[in-house]
Amino acid sequence: MAGYKLPLNKTRLLYLEAQRHNNATADLSSLGGAIGTVVQVTIKSRSARPSKAELAIFAIEQHDITTAIETLLLGHVNDTERLPKRVVIREDRLLGYILVGERKRWTYGRRKQFYWGGHPLRSGEDKWVFYFETTKLQANYTRR
């Protein structure tokens, strides 16, 4: 999916393409002619000063985290899967992390008009903050 990666502790605007269903004309009219939606996304580390190990785990999992967030938000903005105000993504198999997403009204974005070339984009109603935390690091890990 994504040819980019969402960074840790930074905010990005994410362009999500409008999804075509059975009736493409009806889909575009419901989006007001927009070809997609712009959503504000932030991934924050739970700890104020993440350890080198936490940063390494995020870097290893960054592509999968980006893909998971993009997939969730595609469904959300295209009304196929309206998400609750809080979502949890948990990975326990290998490195272990939890990602807790919270959405809030994006009032700043509602005042902006975005375009892809000459095509209008819809501003997302919500902004998302995802909190990243490792789950398998030893509690007594010391920073080096």
Side-chain angles (χ1 to χ4, degrees), residues 8 25 32 45-46 57 59-61 65 73 82 89 93 100-101 103 110-113 123:
L8 187 62
T25 307
S45 58
R46 273 282 187 211
I57 289 171
I60 292 166
E61 298 287 354
I65 288 169
L73 298 185
R82 198 76 178 146
I89 299 170
R93 292 172 289 139
V100 177
R103 69 178 165 102
R110 302 298 293 163
R111 298 189 310 251
K112 301 295 178 195
Q113 177 60 59
S123 292

Side-chain angles (χ1 to χ4, degrees), residues 5-12 40-52 54-56 58-59 62 65-66 69 99 128-133 143:
K5 296 176 188 168
L6 292 170
L8 187 62
N9 295 321
K10 294 188 180 177
T11 298
R12 294 290 186 256
Q40 179 180 305
V41 177
T42 306
I43 302 175
K44 292 184 177 182
S45 58
R46 273 282 187 211
S47 53
R49 294 178 50 196
S51 68
K52 290 178 184 177
E54 289 172 304
L55 294 173
F58 181 83
Q62 191 173 12
I65 288 169
T66 298
I69 289 172
L99 197 61
W128 286 85
V129 177
F130 289 87
Y131 297 94
F132 174 80
E133 182 176 9
R143 291 182 194 200

Side-chain angles (χ1 to χ4, degrees), residues 1 16-17 33-34 37 39 49 52 54 59 69-72 80 82 84 89 127 134:
M1 276 184 146
L16 301 167
E17 188 174 359
T37 304
V39 178
R49 294 178 50 196
K52 290 178 184 177
E54 289 172 304
I69 289 172
E70 183 181 73
T71 302
L72 281 172
T80 57
R82 198 76 178 146
I89 299 170
K127 63 181 177 180
T134 57

Side-chain angles (χ1 to χ4, degrees), residues 26-37:
D27 289 343
L28 283 179
S29 64
S30 69
L31 293 175
I35 62 168
T37 304

